[in-house]
Amino acid sequence: MSDGENHCRKVLSSLLSGISVFFAFFSVLILSLSGCVDKKNREKGELRSISVLSRNDSGLELLLLKSMGFGTDVRVVQMNTPSRSTAANSENLGFNFYALNAAVSSAGEDAFRKIIPLYAQASASKLRLPAQGNQLKFSDLMSPAVQAVTGRELRFNDASLNLTSSEALLSVLLAESSQLRFVAHSRSNVNNLFLDGLSFRTVGEIPASSKPANAGRRERNSGFSVGDVVVFTDKSSESDLIHAALWVDHDVYFEAVPLADSLVFRISSYSQVMEELARRVAADVRQLQMKIVRRAVAWPDVVQRVSQFKDQKPAGTLLIASDAAGRGQPASLQGLTLTLLPEVEAPRGR
């Protein structure tokens, strides 16, 4: 073999080696870039695919109250509805689910007096504020009707009545300070009230495409104010109301949960709301649409407009009495029963 051929062979070999090194480097670069893209897509996909049933509430805080200088202690509790037999099923039925039990403390009485109107909404709290340093339940800041039903299971004597969570929430919102009336409405009435703005005004919307159920907390709570009603609809049928809850702090809600033939009122986290919806809604809860509904007229006007609804059926009433601390308590029940549910603190990091 001549020197020229050897030289050409060496040049060709070097060129092939260079090309190999180049392609190796290029392959690593492509894999790295695709890894970044895949990671981003994967994270986005995982955000959409994480089961809402496994969300951890152990780090939840009342951020709004905390920003106002209040001390808060939020605990996840397990609530148990009593087992009972039904005519259709001879087995004993009961439900175990989670709620929040929160305590609130402040440096003085004046601070409480400033925030109670913010949370009491329709009717002023009659709470006798504690001495400095003492704690209140979070629900104590809210209206007497909320105080009277929180943590309780509601059952109507008329078995044919099947109030939705939205109807029950509406009844509590419209309650007087001394009496709470539960009224069954037609579905169109409730849908019109919350979705078409007859007495409320939609001020914002969280589209499911950009803010799924497990979006970040800051994004999820953007634009909310205490007392806003958060309504859940299926984007395939946005005129049908699936659920409603009252926004009371970051990722903390007051809601009525339908369980078989009863309703349970609770303070809950966002993940608990989604967990309950996943149990009873056929649609993928991660694709539900949320709308922020804010009252645009005075409460008496809302009451007046609701009173003009057709197809209303009184379901039951209760008087709201005050205990020694001024908290609202159910009394003189007619057409319904309310059962205070036992609470067991859930293990941390459930």
Side-chain angles (χ1 to χ4, degrees):
M1 185 178 295
S2 65
D3 292 341
E5 290 176 337
N6 287 333
H7 178 69
C8 289
R9 188 178 293 275
K10 288 180 180 179
V11 171
L12 182 60
S13 177
S14 299
L15 181 61
L16 291 174
S17 297
I19 292 174
S20 299
V21 170
F22 173 77
F23 274 107
F25 173 78
F26 185 75
S27 299
V28 171
L29 179 62
I30 291 297
L31 287 173
S32 300
L33 291 175
S34 64
C36 293
V37 175
D38 287 345
K39 181 179 180 182
K40 184 177 180 180
N41 287 339
R42 184 169 64 251
E43 288 176 348
K44 186 176 180 180
E46 286 174 356
L47 276 178
R48 293 181 180 276
S49 63
I50 290 175
S51 171
V52 296
L53 304 179
S54 62
R55 299 293 292 273
N56 192 328
D57 292 318
S58 59
L60 193 69
E61 290 187 279
L62 300 175
L63 298 180
L64 183 61
L65 281 177
K66 191 174 181 179
S67 70
M68 297 178 181
F70 287 82
T72 63
D73 179 20
V74 182
R75 301 185 182 185
V76 179
V77 294
Q78 180 174 304
M79 303 179 72
N80 307 294
T81 62
S83 298
R84 57 182 178 270
S85 298
T86 64
N89 190 342
S90 59
E91 297 180 0
N92 288 332
L93 300 176
F95 292 91
N96 301 326
F97 58 98
Y98 294 97
L100 298 181
N101 188 329
V104 180
S105 59
S106 176
E109 182 177 317
D110 290 343
F112 279 115
R113 293 196 180 280
K114 290 179 181 179
I115 65 167
I116 281 181
L118 181 67
Y119 286 87
Q121 297 299 318
S123 51
S125 173
K126 298 179 180 179
L127 189 69
R128 298 181 180 90
L129 296 170
Q132 181 173 338
N134 288 357
Q135 290 187 331
L136 295 174
K137 292 182 179 179
F138 184 43
S139 58
D140 292 343
L141 303 179
M142 303 171 75
S143 70
V146 172
Q147 296 170 12
V149 298
T150 299
R152 288 177 167 86
E153 180 188 24
L154 167 67
R155 298 185 69 193
F156 294 108
N157 298 347
D158 183 350
S160 66
L161 287 170
N162 184 23
L163 259 70
T164 65
S165 60
S166 305
E167 289 172 304
L169 180 67
L170 179 62
S171 294
V172 174
L173 290 178
L174 300 183
E176 302 169 5
S177 60
S178 59
Q179 186 177 49
L180 170 56
R181 300 179 180 89
F182 289 100
V183 178
H185 301 279
S186 70
R187 179 178 293 272
S188 61
N189 283 342
V190 180
N191 287 350
N192 287 337
L193 179 68
F194 287 113
L195 298 178
D196 289 350
L198 297 184
S199 294
F200 291 79
R201 175 169 56 92
T202 301
V203 297
E205 180 178 312
I206 303 178
S209 59
S210 62
K211 294 188 179 182
N214 35 23
R217 183 185 300 181
R218 177 175 296 184
E219 180 186 14
R220 190 162 59 232
N221 291 282
S222 176
F224 281 52
S225 296
V226 174
D228 286 350
V229 179
V230 183
V231 297
F232 296 81
T233 61
D234 185 348
K235 61 181 181 180
S236 63
S237 180
E238 295 182 16
S239 61
D240 291 332
L241 180 61
I242 292 176
H243 188 60
L246 190 70
W247 193 91
V248 288
D249 208 307
H250 284 242
D251 273 1
V252 180
Y253 301 81
F254 170 75
E255 63 170 349
V257 182
L259 297 174
D261 58 348
S262 67
L263 287 158
V264 172
F265 297 92
R266 67 174 179 176
I267 304 293
S268 59
S269 68
Y270 186 83
S271 63
Q272 290 167 0
V273 172
M274 300 310 297
E275 180 175 340
E276 187 278 326
L277 284 174
R279 178 185 61 80
R280 66 181 176 90
V281 174
D284 184 349
V285 294
R286 296 164 298 182
Q287 300 302 317
L288 292 181
Q289 194 163 12
M290 292 172 53
K291 293 183 180 179
I292 308 169
V293 180
R294 183 164 298 162
R295 176 170 48 88
V297 296
W299 278 110
D301 290 338
V302 179
V303 173
Q304 180 63 30
R305 297 185 195 189
V306 170
S307 67
Q308 296 172 357
F309 279 165
K310 297 180 179 179
D311 303 322
Q312 296 189 71
K313 185 176 182 180
T317 61
L318 63 88
L319 297 181
I320 303 176
S322 298
D323 65 9
R327 296 184 178 95
Q329 296 291 330
S332 302
L333 282 63
Q334 294 183 351
L336 57 89
T337 58
L338 274 177
T339 305
L340 183 62
L341 298 179
E343 297 180 356
V344 178
E345 186 172 351
R348 294 285 180 179
R350 70 171 184 88

